[in-house]
Amino acid sequence: MKLLTVQKCISCEAEYPSDEVLYTCKFCGSLIEVILTNLEELDGRDLSLKWRGRDRTMWRYSEVIPVEGNVVTLKEGGTPLYEAEKAALWAGVRKLYLKFEGMNPTGSFKDRGMSVGVSKAVALRKKVVVCASTGNTASSMAAYAAAAGLKSVVVVPKYDVAAGKLFQTVLHGAKTIQVVEGFDKALTMILSSTLGSESYILNSVNPWRIEGQKTLAYELWDDLRDSNYFVSIPVGNCGNISALWKGFKELQTLGIIRDLPRLIAVQAEGASPFVDMVNRGDEKLIPVEKPMTIASAIRIGRPVNWRKALRALKESEGLAEKVSDGLILEAQRVLASEVGVGVEPASAASLAGVKKLVDKGLLDKSSTVVCIATGHALKDPNIEIISKYLSPEIPIEEVLKSL
Ligand code: F0G
């Protein structure tokens, strides 16, 4: 059965055809989402049986991914889920899993979205893909554009973009513009420029990217066959948490799951406009003008997808927490040296958030939590950590004795 889709405004519900290129509603200016209009007619039980026998990439779920024509893929998705006892012990919960999105082709979850987004760009006959980024979106888009034979242009903050991400971006051939003011300015620049009909924006305002990223939920269901857990996820521009929730809601519509997991949104203390809004209990996002955190991937003061994310958090009866850079680095160390999984600082925020919520008594110790480890440690080599732990040239016997 052919999947039918429509683009719909998240606020005034105006509808647009799927082949119309738009990022915001023409009437009210809100963001757009893709609705699968005949999802209810699909047989969830039949689908789940079909999916089980297929390769472990996100395209295992192709029946619910709205791409027409050729798919641009680097075999993204199918990332490992680890049970991490040491991390559970550190955070203080009964069971903790780590979904390691750093194992995607370019080392972050962005690849799921880019596979769909760049496929859509090709279907629309675009020649150039464009984005603003703190690094991971840029490197992912550059790789998928290269795979599709498209040109790519990215705008990134001039300071503190992680070296690995910048290297990937230029290596894959993206023209790279740096702006002094940081990510929020870079995104404003992209959204307010006249880009011409050949260019296509692939930030998370693009609703088709979210369609790729929602497969994270399908995979968690596949991994755990249960929905009685929390999912802790680092939040920057609020795109991924919105995508995750969309996936879970679709699984419910398909009759594959009955209950929905609960979300935990985590931001860094110096860049926490979303978490602060949730915990104030209002619906007014107060932007952070100069966001600061060591987790450069989520150094964002004006998250564009906040309305979608707020809806998700409310529907899931979720929690929101902000964490210090110190706690982020401690969580990163625990994952690396006690679990064996190397993640970048933004990704470690998901685990740090769980510990803080347990310590504050807001998350029950008997909980099962899945932490989304959004990006690989190699993305963001930390020179200070490297030099702190290096030993001078001393005999190996001495080092062994000191262990
Ligand atoms: N974790 C990592 C490693 C990221 O790169 C990002 C976002 C997030 C979490 C937050 O996801 O923005 O959907 O809420 N990185 C973007 C980028 C902003 O440009 O690479 P979000």
Side-chain angles (χ1 to χ4, degrees):
M1 198 176 79
K2 191 174 175 305
L3 198 58
L4 302 176
T5 56
V6 70
Q7 299 186 95
K8 196 170 180 179
C9 169
I10 62 162
S11 298
C12 76
E13 304 198 346
E15 291 193 2
Y16 304 90
S18 297
D19 56 358
E20 184 166 347
V21 176
L22 79 169
Y23 311 103
T24 49
C25 178
K26 289 180 196 165
F27 301 104
C28 73
S30 282
L31 292 186
I32 301 292
E33 64 184 341
V34 175
I35 306 287
L36 313 183
T37 51
N38 59 343
L39 192 66
E40 275 146 24
E41 291 161 30
L42 298 181
D43 181 339
R45 181 186 292 248
D46 185 47
L47 279 181
S48 49
L49 287 175
K50 258 192 209 154
W51 293 339
R52 200 173 286 184
R54 294 191 185 151
D55 282 356
R56 270 190 64 94
T57 77
M58 72 175 216
W59 291 98
R60 165 185 271 221
Y61 315 106
S62 58
E63 286 85 352
V64 293
I65 308 177
V67 171
E68 283 176 23
N70 283 346
V71 168
V72 180
T73 177
L74 296 169
K75 298 192 190 291
E76 46 293 318
T79 55
L81 183 86
Y82 305 119
E83 188 178 343
E85 279 173 33
K86 298 268 177 53
L89 211 63
W90 180 76
V93 287
R94 190 179 64 87
K95 218 180 227 321
L96 193 141
Y97 294 96
L98 205 61
K99 179 72 171 164
F100 193 19
E101 289 289 278
M103 293 300 278
N104 276 298
T106 76
S108 83
F109 69 93
K110 305 285 180 178
D111 295 345
R112 296 178 187 270
M114 285 303 166
S115 178
V116 174
V118 173
S119 299
K120 187 77 183 172
V122 172
L124 293 166
R125 300 184 193 285
K126 300 291 179 186
K127 299 280 182 287
V128 186
V129 284
V130 181
C131 74
S133 177
T134 55
N136 280 325
T137 302
S139 44
S140 180
M141 190 188 79
Y144 283 80
L150 301 182
K151 296 200 167 86
S152 55
V153 180
V154 308
V155 186
V156 295
K158 183 166 169 63
Y159 302 108
D160 299 322
V161 174
K165 301 173 189 177
L166 217 44
F167 174 60
Q168 286 178 293
T169 305
V170 294
L171 185 67
H172 290 302
K175 287 265 178 294
T176 305
I177 303 165
Q178 294 179 298
V179 292
V180 175
E181 294 93 334
F183 174 83
D184 298 300
K185 175 70 192 233
L187 185 55
T188 309
M189 226 174 104
I190 297 266
L191 295 176
S192 61
S193 300
T194 311
L195 300 176
S197 61
E198 294 202 329
S199 301
Y200 193 51
I201 298 176
L202 279 177
N203 278 102
S204 53
V205 291
N206 183 316
W208 301 94
R209 245 192 67 193
I210 301 293
E211 289 304 295
Q213 288 176 210
K214 77 182 182 188
T215 58
L216 176 58
Y218 285 79
E219 248 169 55
L220 288 179
W221 161 76
D222 230 347
D223 289 331
L224 292 166
R225 303 277 158 162
D226 178 25
S227 43
N228 185 20
Y229 51 80
F230 286 84
V231 185
S232 179
I233 183 164
V235 168
N237 222 3
C238 295
N240 208 28
I241 192 168
S242 313
L244 179 68
W245 192 242
K246 187 171 194 290
F248 282 128
K249 294 283 293 265
E250 287 182 8
L251 284 163
Q252 195 182 43
T253 304
L254 286 164
I256 292 176
I257 57 173
R258 206 186 49 162
D259 302 320
L260 292 160
R262 292 180 65 188
L263 302 177
I264 300 175
V266 187
Q267 291 193 302
E269 269 177 7
S272 59
F274 180 74
V275 166
D276 290 343
M277 174 184 62
V278 171
N279 289 336
R280 276 196 313 271
D282 62 32
E283 299 201 356
K284 199 172 171 316
L285 186 104
I286 303 172
V288 173
E289 292 307 334
K290 286 201 167 67
M292 286 300 295
T293 165
I294 193 161
S296 60
I298 52 172
R299 190 181 293 160
I300 293 175
R302 278 174 197 274
V304 287
N305 291 290
W306 69 268
R307 281 182 201 280
K308 282 187 189 176
L310 185 62
R311 191 175 65 187
L313 211 71
K314 281 191 170 169
E315 284 178 11
S316 88
E317 294 172 26
L319 300 166
E321 190 53 86
K322 55 182 172 185
V323 288
S324 67
D325 282 0
L327 197 61
I328 288 175
L329 288 178
E330 180 62 7
Q332 186 191 34
R333 190 199 61 73
V334 167
L335 289 175
S337 67
E338 295 183 32
V339 181
V341 175
V343 305
E344 65 168 286
S347 312
S350 56
L351 176 62
V354 173
K355 178 170 173 57
K356 190 159 171 198
L357 284 167
V358 172
D359 288 350
K360 284 167 80 175
L362 297 173
L363 180 64
D364 203 280
K365 288 189 164 87
S366 65
S367 308
T368 297
V369 185
V370 179
C371 288
I372 309 299
T374 44
H376 203 287
L378 287 173
K379 290 275 193 176
D380 196 354
N382 182 322
I383 304 299
E384 268 175 43
I385 294 182
I386 297 174
S387 41
K388 190 168 157 193
Y389 290 102
L390 288 181
S391 298
E393 196 178 324
I394 45 176
I396 190 164
E397 293 84 352
E398 261 179 52
V399 175
L400 290 173
K401 256 188 246 153
S402 71
L403 294 179

